[in-house]
Amino acid sequence: SLSDYFAAFETHPCLQGGFIWEWLDHGIAQQTADGRKFWAYGGDFGETPHDANFVCDGLVWPDRTPHPGLYEFKHLAQPVAAQIVDAEQGIVRIVNKCDFVSLDWLRGEWELLIDGAPAASGNLPTLNIQPSQSLTVTLDLSAFAGKPGERLLNIRFFQRDATWWAPANHEIGWSQ
């Protein structure tokens, strides 16, 4: 239901949320008699009462390996969104979800896949999009009009320069 929460945050400007309550699963590495490794938690040590899996509800495993939910959270919390306006004409809207900064710190790339194979790609124009504003972009997909096949348009956003928290070209967001 994380996407439902983010839909509410974006629909009602006075709401905020999506805060991480539990970052890490609190499991302890154990091994079965036949050598299979697993993360032990509530009740696995014979204790009663216990809280079952309540301490294993984080976004990363105890060894810090990401759960799929971490990637979902990254996607939902990303500062930029891409929306199809007209698929036939290749028109896409890029939305700045930030309240205080423009998106000029990002650069964008797009890729068209047809039946899973790359068919076309390119760079988005400079993303000088002010807070809570959008930019409509037309991608040149005319060479593929009328051709059969399943089409997927991937749009990715990367930070232009290194910061204290990530290197240059770190992927900030994506849409499909």
Side-chain angles (χ1 to χ4, degrees):
S1 330
L2 195 54
S3 63
D4 294 334
Y5 283 108
F6 273 83
F9 304 149
E10 291 178 4
T11 302
H12 305 286
C14 291
L15 287 179
Q16 61 177 326
F19 306 107
I20 303 301
W21 180 260
E22 196 70 55
W23 173 253
L24 168 74
D25 287 348
H26 300 281
I28 299 171
Q30 296 292 305
Q31 196 168 344
T32 62
D34 64 355
R36 187 179 54 88
K37 295 179 180 180
F38 70 101
W39 298 112
Y41 52 85
D44 288 335
F45 301 98
E47 75 279 11
T48 56
H50 60 77
D51 54 9
N53 68 349
F54 183 72
V55 297
C56 283
D57 57 354
L59 291 177
V60 298
W61 293 100
D63 66 356
R64 292 9 179 217
T65 301
H67 286 277
L70 182 60
Y71 297 104
E72 179 186 16
F73 179 78
K74 177 183 177 183
H75 179 70
L76 292 169
Q78 67 191 16
V80 59
Q83 305 163 341
I84 290 288
V85 174
D86 185 330
E88 294 293 321
Q89 300 296 316
I91 301 173
V92 177
R93 179 180 300 114
I94 309 299
V95 179
N96 182 348
K97 295 168 52 177
C98 298
D99 291 324
F100 303 106
V101 297
S102 83
L103 292 181
D104 59 358
W105 62 284
L106 297 177
R107 64 176 184 79
E109 298 176 358
W110 63 272
E111 175 186 43
L112 176 67
L113 303 176
I114 299 179
D115 290 333
S121 63
N123 295 317
L124 294 175
T126 300
L127 301 175
N128 189 12
I129 308 169
Q130 296 306 305
S132 303
Q133 299 297 308
S134 64
L135 172 70
T136 301
V137 176
T138 302
L139 307 176
D140 185 10
L141 306 177
S142 58
F144 306 99
K147 292 190 178 181
E150 178 187 55
R151 296 158 197 270
L152 296 175
L153 178 62
N154 295 318
I155 300 179
R156 291 183 174 83
F157 301 94
F158 305 88
Q159 75 179 40
R160 289 184 179 281
D161 300 314
T163 62
W164 62 269
W165 56 271
N169 299 312
H170 174 74
E171 185 180 71
I172 297 297
W174 69 94
S175 291
Q176 185 176 73

